[in-house]
Amino acid sequence: MSSLIITEELKQKAEYYYGDEKCQEKSKFLLQEVGLPRGLLPLKDIIECGYVEETGFVWLKQQKKIEHCFEKIGKLVSYAPEITAYVEKGKIRELTGVKTKELLIWITLTEISLDDPPTGKLVCKTPAGLYRTFPTSAFELEEDLNKKQED
């Protein structure tokens, strides 16, 4: 697994932003563009985010590590101060900086994708190839779920 270091050279090829408000907006937009739930990365106090369209490489830097519980599935997820990944339609691969708690141990996630054919499930994979599936609705923002119910 290759974790890229965010260099000035990389930034020259990227579209990048500073500040929590702008980065929240851009990260949710990107998730939506690749067909993934916009609530998948519930980060706080984002300092910087970037996207290299040519390769799909994405990075997000937040002030400190956070933990978030996805209430609908009872899953605790830890997000490191720096998260990197490659995104493409329906998939996040080579993910770094995200772990989930299984029983009493933290397990690194390296890939999140929509199942094939799409049945409204997300598949979360570990470096060892283990995976679990969850309903995409567990990662949707409340506002998006409400909008879907209205439509």
Side-chain angles (χ1 to χ4, degrees):
M1 174 162 45
S2 64
S3 173
L4 270 177
I5 295 168
I6 295 114
T7 61
E8 287 307 312
E9 187 182 345
L10 179 70
K11 282 184 174 182
Q12 288 175 359
K13 299 176 187 170
E15 185 180 307
Y16 59 95
Y17 303 91
Y18 296 101
D20 186 58
E21 191 176 331
K22 192 67 167 171
C23 290
Q24 291 285 353
E25 177 191 316
K26 291 295 179 181
S27 64
K28 286 175 178 60
F29 177 76
L30 182 62
L31 285 168
Q32 184 178 320
E33 284 296 292
V34 297
L36 294 170
R38 293 185 332 136
L40 201 54
L41 298 170
L43 307 182
K44 291 188 170 82
D45 301 321
I46 305 174
I47 304 164
E48 179 184 312
C49 66
Y51 174 57
V52 181
E53 190 173 2
E54 169 188 340
T55 61
F57 181 70
V58 169
W59 75 89
L60 296 147
K61 292 181 181 181
Q62 56 183 353
Q63 285 185 7
K64 61 181 194 254
K65 176 184 116 171
I66 65 154
E67 289 180 1
H68 176 83
C69 184
F70 288 97
E71 299 291 336
K72 293 178 182 169
I73 53 172
K75 279 282 157 224
L76 188 61
V77 180
S78 169
Y79 297 89
E82 185 174 293
I83 295 161
T84 64
Y86 288 89
V87 296
E88 57 193 59
K89 203 73 175 149
K91 183 187 270 188
I92 296 173
R93 60 184 173 80
E94 293 185 46
L95 179 64
T96 67
V98 180
K99 294 180 179 186
T100 182
K101 197 156 196 182
E102 288 291 332
L103 298 172
L104 300 172
I105 57 170
W106 286 98
I107 297 174
T108 299
L109 292 180
T110 54
E111 187 177 296
I112 300 170
S113 60
L114 292 171
D115 65 344
D116 194 30
T119 60
K121 300 254 186 228
L122 270 186
V123 180
C124 300
K125 294 183 181 174
T126 71
L130 301 172
Y131 68 91
R132 299 255 329 249
T133 58
F134 300 100
T136 54
S137 60
F139 305 96
E140 293 280 4
L141 297 174
E142 279 305 312
E143 63 202 63
D144 294 345
L145 285 174
N146 295 340
K147 199 169 158 187
K148 280 183 183 173
Q149 288 171 350
E150 289 169 13
D151 290 346

